[in-house]
């Protein structure tokens, strides 16, 4: 998976994305926004917002910023914002979620819906999500993870070499993801039909600082 391949795949998906991936994955988006329990005035960042299928689900008194690497996917999100008069969507920008332009601690909640198995470097994505999230903020994911069902799991392993063409990794493991990122999940909940996907909620348990630390001098 590299960023150019992802852009190309989602340029192709953009026109029919809602038809194929809309309704079937919408319960997961709805459950995720409900779980976020947003309070009035909070600032939420949705990374990989895509065509904006979740945008109308947020309370109108919460300020939403959406970013995506695909200009074509984002154009559909912009059209929904205008069509549905979603004035609480304060920003929709083309941006790499692995190298965000936002200041540290800019958002109360940071969410990624069906994105962690798509990006080139999921660990870097999580580091960036933590950086831009306030120290006591919440980080939430919803995604399909590698199935525990032996039949489906084997099928996903067989599909794995096609990740670049599919635009996601079918064999993406939740256990490995949590271990690699050090995320301390406070809630793991199955969502969508046949519990095909999982919602993972975590506190922003890693502190970031952009200050340069003074070197320590040790007297000899
Ligand atoms: C499977 S779609 C999910 C879209 C949307 N979140 C949803 O619920 O349908 C994955 C999205 O992640 C975006 N994406 C992939 N890598 C990205 C990156 N590094 N930075 C920002 N967006 C990225 C893709 O362009 C695509 O729109």
């Amino acid at each position: 998976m590299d960023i150019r391949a992802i852009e190309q795949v989602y340029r192709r998906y953009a026109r029919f994305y809602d038809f194929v991936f809309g309704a079937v994955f919408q319960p997961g988006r709805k459950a995720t926004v409900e779980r976020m329990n947003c309070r009035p005035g909070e600032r939420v960042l949705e990374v990989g917002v895509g065509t904006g299928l979740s945008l109308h689900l947020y309370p109108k008194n919460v300020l939403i910023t959406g970013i995506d690497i695909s200009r074509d996917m984002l154009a559909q999100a912009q059209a929904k914002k205008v069509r549905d008069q979603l004035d609480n969507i304060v920003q929709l920008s083309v941006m790499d979620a692995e190298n965000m332009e936002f200041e540290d601690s800019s958002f109360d909640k940071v969410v990624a819906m069906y994105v962690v198995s798509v990006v080139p470097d999921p660990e870097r994505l999580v580091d960036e999500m933590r950086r831009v999230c306030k120290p006591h903020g919440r980080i939430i994911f919803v995604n399909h993870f590698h199935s525990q069902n032996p039949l489906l799991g084997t099928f996903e392993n067989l599909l794995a070499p096609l990740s670049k063409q599919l635009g996601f990794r079918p064999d993406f493991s939740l256990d490995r993801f949590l271990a690699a990122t050090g995320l301390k999940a406070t809630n793991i909940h199955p969502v969508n039909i046949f519990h095909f996907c999982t919602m993972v909620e975590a506190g922003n348990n890693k502190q970031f600082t952009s200050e340069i630390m003074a070197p320590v001098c040790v007297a000899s």
Side-chain angles (χ1 to χ4, degrees):
M1 305 286 282
D2 63 72
I3 208 84
R4 294 289 149 251
I6 292 165
E7 274 184 281
Q8 272 175 21
V9 171
Y10 284 93
R11 184 179 305 144
R12 284 201 295 273
Y13 276 155
R15 262 176 296 146
F16 60 90
Y17 185 89
D18 288 6
F19 181 70
V20 178
F21 302 105
V24 72
F25 291 119
Q26 198 65 355
R29 296 183 187 97
K30 201 161 176 282
T32 302
V33 173
E34 277 167 12
R35 182 75 210 177
M36 287 166 78
N37 195 20
C38 296
R39 294 194 213 104
E42 278 189 338
R43 285 174 54 97
V44 171
L45 171 65
E46 189 175 324
V47 303
V49 66
T51 62
L53 284 161
S54 59
L55 294 179
H56 68 283
L57 301 172
Y58 291 99
K60 297 294 172 282
N61 53 12
V62 172
L63 304 173
I64 311 298
T65 297
I67 62 161
D68 201 284
I69 201 69
S70 165
R71 194 171 293 278
D72 300 76
M73 294 286 277
L74 211 55
Q76 309 263 348
Q78 180 63 33
K80 287 188 183 72
K81 169 183 155 62
V82 173
R83 185 193 68 197
D84 300 338
Q85 300 180 353
L86 302 173
D87 296 333
N88 61 323
I89 313 302
V90 292
Q91 185 182 346
L92 290 172
S93 300
V94 176
M95 199 185 294
D96 182 358
E98 292 182 8
N99 289 292
M100 289 193 262
E101 293 159 20
F102 304 115
E103 306 267 312
D104 296 1
S105 309
S106 297
F107 298 95
D108 298 285
K109 281 155 189 163
V110 183
V111 60
M113 302 197 201
Y114 312 114
V115 177
V116 285
S117 60
V118 173
V119 294
D121 186 344
E123 287 169 53
R124 183 159 174 89
L125 171 76
V126 171
D127 280 349
E128 273 292 87
M129 289 174 73
R130 282 167 160 164
R131 181 184 68 76
V132 301
C133 185
K134 290 181 182 171
H136 298 292
R138 308 299 296 167
I139 294 183
I140 307 192
F141 304 90
V142 64
N143 217 81
H144 172 68
F145 294 97
H146 189 232
S147 178
Q148 305 288 320
N149 176 304
L151 211 63
L152 197 54
T154 306
F155 180 62
E156 289 170 355
N157 289 341
L158 291 171
L159 281 181
L162 297 175
S163 296
K164 212 167 170 172
Q165 288 78 13
L166 292 169
F168 62 93
R169 296 182 198 80
D171 59 343
F172 193 75
S173 152
L174 175 59
D175 290 345
R176 279 206 298 273
F177 172 63
L178 293 179
T181 56
L183 276 172
K184 302 273 178 289
T186 52
N187 181 43
I188 297 182
H189 192 72
V191 291
N192 290 333
I193 190 164
F194 304 128
H195 289 171
F196 187 66
C197 298
T198 306
M199 180 173 67
V200 180
E201 185 187 11
N204 191 14
N205 55 324
K206 195 165 156 188
Q207 304 293 307
F208 279 81
T209 175
S210 49
E211 287 168 26
I212 298 167
M213 294 182 74
V216 179
C217 299
V218 181
S220 56

